[in-house]
Amino acid sequence: DQQVKQNSPSLSVQEGRISILNCDYTNSMFDYFLWYKKYPAEGPTFLISISSIKDKNEDGRFTVFLNKSAKHLSLHIVPSQPGDSAVYFCAASADYKLSFGAGTTVTVRA
Amino acid sequence: DVKVTQSSRYLVKRTGEKVFLECVQDMDHENMFWYRQDPGLGLRLIYFSYDVKMKEKGDIPEGYSVSREKKERFSLILESASTNQTSMYLCASRGPGLLNTEAFFGQGTRLTVV
């Protein structure tokens, strides 16, 4: 039973435009949320996180929004760049461990 | 610069072999994890450890065991490898305790069981 869901397996966006990635969760005990980026044959790298006491966190081109009542978070990348082409994983935590979604493959077109 | 190092990038093993995947972290983290990544399934937690000699089952522990004799090292063991264990294996560490922090991942081990 997957507690973190990314329902869009892929996203294609033009360079310079906004990428919006979505994530839903079912466990109301989750209090910390993260986004990771992964290139093929490499480990995931941390991008940005948000605590459940906030509804927005921004870091450069990356912004994460949290809607606790809807159990939904999103990652905005503005502007999208070719190097952003990767798999993005949403993750959530209630204790020691992180639960991950299935990932969204982002392709940025020139 | 923080580092999680997995002993092998690529491994090919035969069905029935005992396989050891090693992971070392240099951040003095209490928590260490083994995940596997499969297409369409994301990262699934196999086992985790929150202290030396302590371990807990994750979501898919069947066919695996772990060992944590030292704080910096967490090993994943496939007692008798099977073809359905062909996957990308990822080790991660996180700390301290229950504070909200990110996990750091190793580079991954692509295991093929033939």
Side-chain angles (χ1 to χ4, degrees):
Chain A
D1 182 30
Q2 202 153 20
Q3 299 183 68
V4 178
K5 297 179 183 178
Q6 294 176 256
N7 293 318
S8 297
S10 63
L11 172 69
S12 180
V13 63
Q14 193 157 15
E15 184 178 359
R17 306 295 287 265
I18 185 171
S19 294
I20 300 176
L21 291 79
N22 294 303
C23 178
D24 297 295
Y25 62 96
T26 57
N27 187 345
S28 57
M29 298 300 292
F30 288 146
D31 60 0
Y32 188 63
F33 303 88
L34 310 90
W35 285 94
Y36 282 82
K37 175 180 179 180
K38 186 180 184 299
Y39 294 118
E42 293 184 14
T45 54
F46 170 73
L47 264 182
I48 192 169
S49 63
I50 187 166
S51 166
S52 59
I53 62 173
K54 295 186 174 182
D55 55 19
K56 177 182 174 182
N57 189 26
E58 199 168 348
D59 183 3
R61 296 187 298 114
F62 302 93
T63 303
V64 57
F65 297 91
L66 176 63
N67 183 334
K68 281 181 62 180
S69 61
K71 294 191 177 68
H72 177 83
L73 64 155
S74 62
L75 174 69
H76 292 205
I77 307 173
V78 183
S80 298
Q81 299 174 353
D84 296 332
S85 294
V87 180
Y88 290 78
F89 291 101
C90 170
S93 172
D95 48 32
Y96 305 104
K97 57 184 181 176
L98 296 178
S99 297
F100 285 82
T104 297
T105 300
V106 172
T107 303
V108 180
R109 309 186 310 271
Chain B
D1 200 15
V2 298
K3 221 166 166 77
V4 178
T5 304
Q6 295 181 226
S7 53
S8 304
R9 292 294 299 267
Y10 300 95
L11 275 179
V12 180
K13 296 292 181 181
R14 296 196 180 277
T15 302
E17 273 193 82
K18 190 168 187 176
V19 181
F20 293 86
L21 303 183
E22 307 284 347
C23 175
V24 176
Q25 51 99 359
D26 65 359
M27 294 165 282
D28 202 36
H29 284 167
E30 288 85 357
N31 305 303
M32 295 188 74
F33 311 85
W34 276 105
Y35 289 88
R36 62 179 280 177
Q37 182 200 357
D38 299 289
L41 297 176
L43 276 67
R44 295 180 292 166
L45 182 64
I46 305 171
Y47 265 97
F48 68 102
S49 169
Y50 53 89
D51 202 350
V52 176
K53 297 192 187 294
M54 305 303 289
K55 60 186 179 186
E56 283 199 25
K57 293 179 180 179
D59 301 317
I60 51 165
E62 296 78 19
Y64 304 94
S65 62
V66 290
S67 172
R68 192 158 179 211
E69 296 297 318
K70 293 185 178 181
K71 191 175 187 181
E72 67 271 18
R73 187 180 296 272
F74 191 37
S75 303
L76 179 69
I77 304 153
L78 287 67
E79 296 289 342
S80 177
S82 63
T83 55
N84 62 13
Q85 293 178 308
T86 292
S87 186
M88 168 72 91
Y89 289 87
L90 294 159
C91 174
S93 73
R94 188 185 189 203
L98 295 178
L99 291 180
N100 288 337
T101 59
E102 69 266 35
F104 296 87
F105 282 84
Q107 76 276 29
T109 297
R110 170 69 64 183
L111 173 66
T112 302
V113 182
V114 297

